[in-house]
Structures are given as C-alpha cells and as structure tokens.
Amino acid sequence: MFRHVVLFTWAEGTTEEQKATVKTELRRLTEIIPEIRAYTLGADAGVNPGNHEFAIVADFDNADDFLVYRDHPEHQAVIAKHIKPIVASRAAVQFTI
C-alpha cells in the first residue's frame, strides 16, 4: 500500500464556501479515479495551535497508481481551479505502508 498525505493552510480571506468547494471537488475524485483505494480528508480539529488547516490522506496499491492520481486531468483541474487560488502553504509526503 502507498500513502499520500497533504496538508494545507488557507490564505487569509479564504471563505467557508471556498473551503467547502475544495472538499466537495476532492471527494468527487474517488468516483473518477479508480486507483484511489481510500481517501480521507477534513479540516483540522483546532486542538493544537500552529497546525495546518486541512489534510488529505489517500491510499493506493502502489506508487504507479499514485502517479495516475497525481497526474490525472480531473485532479489537476481541482488543484488549479479550487486549491491554488486559496492555499497559503502546502506540505506533502508519500510513503509505503
């Protein structure tokens, strides 16, 4: 199994509607990209100060399937249209589980 984890901090002025749209559009990818085995995402619980504000954990059978997801035109469209305009910072890691 291959895991991809992404953390976002939103830019100042990002609206709740924009955040909700990101969640909706990302969840839609599970219906479009069959290589996704598990997909969990959500806002930070707010327990610890200084955390990123949003996380995605995606599981794939292998690194090649992750690359299909990474480069998929629908995924790239979500990034370009809904994420890049409102993201202040991003961190990501991929690893084998």
Side-chain angles (χ1 to χ4, degrees):
M1 194 66 79
F2 193 79
R3 180 162 285 170
H4 169 60
V5 179
V6 183
L7 304 171
F8 294 127
T9 298
W10 304 123
E12 185 140 348
T14 299
T15 67
E16 292 304 316
E17 181 181 356
Q18 288 172 306
K19 295 175 194 178
T21 298
V22 168
K23 286 172 85 170
T24 299
E25 292 298 314
L26 286 171
R27 284 189 177 129
R28 189 176 62 82
L29 296 176
T30 62
E31 301 167 7
I32 298 168
I33 305 172
E35 287 80 5
I36 298 171
R37 293 291 167 246
Y39 206 68
T40 307
L41 54 90
D44 181 64
V47 176
N48 291 324
N51 282 359
H52 283 78
E53 297 176 83
F54 189 81
I56 303 160
V57 178
D59 290 338
F60 306 88
D61 286 340
N62 52 55
D64 288 338
D65 285 353
F66 162 71
L67 294 175
V68 170
Y69 162 81
R70 183 195 71 185
D71 298 336
H72 195 284
E74 290 291 330
H75 179 231
Q76 289 299 312
V78 170
I79 293 169
K81 184 174 180 183
H82 300 292
I83 296 173
K84 280 189 178 181
I86 63 170
V87 73
S89 68
R90 176 189 181 273
V93 63
Q94 296 82 39
F95 56 95
T96 301
I97 56 174

